[in-house]
Amino acid sequence: LAKTTQPISMDSYEGQEVNITCSHNNIATNDYITWYQQFPSQGPRFIIQGYKTKVTNEVASLFIPADRKSSTLSLPRVSLSDTAVYYCLVVLTGANNLFFGTGTRLTVIP
Amino acid sequence: EAGVAQSPRYKIIEKRQSVAFWCNPISGHATLYWYQQILGQGPKLLIQFQNNGVVDDSQLPKDRFSAERLKGVDSTLKIQPAKLEDSAVYLCASSFPGQGKHLYGYTFGSGTRLTVV
């Protein structure tokens, strides 16, 4: 399993763009990079997944460099409701298990 | 589409007592998971079912934890006897089998918060 490392916490003001970087130096060829979001008193929720380059959806963008040893989750113009824990996971193709680290606790400040 | 249902939402018990949690997955999801999330940590997989069979229970403390999914739909997780360190949120999740890289269907419930005193 590729281990992931991400900052424990981050603070941001409302309206700013937030970038959370995750390192996964031992990522394997068949691994995908997946990000989950967890609000207090709720289970984690899928945000975005990618293999390489850039992926964008209505919630976030995911940037993955060519060596795939890191990835950056970008949240545009955050609001107070984006305050949550964000988990970076490396998921093996065909696997059904998710292995979570401690995540990054993002606090959005008014 | 209804989500993953869990009950109860909260439970407080004394150590050495027993407790059970219930999960109803999304309709049609053959794979069901139980996770334990200790405060300040990420969720940790306890057990995975495929229909009514166990796929992975390597992280389940089998001396005190048990889980079943008799008809391949609902599942129950039991702890007997409970210890103080079992205080955590117990999350249930479900997914389609073999989704591989497309884990969009992997859905968590809101969990049961257990406090052992």
Side-chain angles (χ1 to χ4, degrees):
Chain A
L1 292 171
K3 181 180 177 180
T4 60
T5 303
Q6 52 184 123
I8 294 174
S9 64
M10 295 179 68
D11 293 337
S12 175
Y13 288 102
E14 269 191 300
Q16 290 189 329
E17 178 184 74
V18 171
N19 296 310
I20 305 174
T21 297
C22 177
S23 65
H24 26 78
N25 292 320
N26 297 323
I27 191 167
T29 304
N30 293 332
D31 290 339
Y32 281 76
I33 298 147
T34 306
W35 286 78
Y36 274 72
Q37 173 191 56
Q38 186 175 25
F39 296 116
S41 301
Q42 293 186 27
R45 181 180 72 128
F46 172 88
I47 301 178
I48 198 166
Q49 181 175 244
Y51 185 80
K52 61 181 178 181
T53 63
K54 177 183 175 182
V55 179
T56 298
N57 62 23
E58 64 277 7
V59 176
S61 294
L62 179 60
F63 299 92
I64 304 168
D67 66 5
R68 306 202 323 124
K69 293 184 182 299
S70 67
S71 59
T72 299
L73 175 72
S74 181
L75 304 172
R77 299 182 57 81
V78 294
S79 64
L80 297 177
S81 62
D82 292 317
T83 294
V85 178
Y86 292 82
Y87 295 97
C88 166
L89 296 88
V90 171
V91 182
L92 178 65
T93 300
N96 279 308
N97 292 350
L98 299 179
F99 294 91
F100 291 84
T102 54
T104 296
R105 183 173 299 276
L106 173 66
T107 303
V108 180
I109 306 165
Chain B
E1 177 185 69
V4 175
Q6 290 189 246
S7 67
R9 284 283 285 154
Y10 306 93
K11 191 74 177 178
I12 301 174
I13 63 172
E14 295 183 348
K15 60 183 179 183
R16 292 187 289 275
Q17 284 188 326
S18 63
V19 64
F21 314 124
W22 174 82
C23 172
N24 181 240
I26 291 175
S27 178
H29 280 195
T31 310
L32 185 147
Y33 317 77
W34 283 101
Y35 285 81
Q36 179 193 58
Q37 186 171 23
I38 293 172
L39 186 64
Q41 299 181 19
K44 183 186 80 172
L45 180 70
L46 292 175
I47 188 167
Q48 176 186 345
F49 291 94
Q50 182 79 10
N51 296 307
N52 61 351
V54 175
V55 174
D56 182 359
D57 64 356
S58 57
Q59 299 298 307
L60 187 73
K62 299 180 188 63
D63 57 335
R64 298 183 300 105
F65 286 65
S66 65
E68 59 183 13
R69 194 185 184 200
L70 294 175
K71 297 182 179 179
V73 181
D74 294 6
S75 177
T76 303
L77 177 68
K78 297 179 181 177
I79 307 175
Q80 181 179 13
K83 293 184 176 182
L84 296 177
E85 58 261 36
D86 298 331
S87 293
V89 175
Y90 291 85
L91 294 161
C92 179
S94 69
S95 73
F96 289 108
Q99 277 204 290
K101 64 174 182 173
H102 300 296
L103 289 172
Y104 311 124
Y106 205 116
T107 305
F108 284 85
S110 295
T112 296
R113 181 176 298 277
L114 173 68
T115 302
V116 182
V117 298

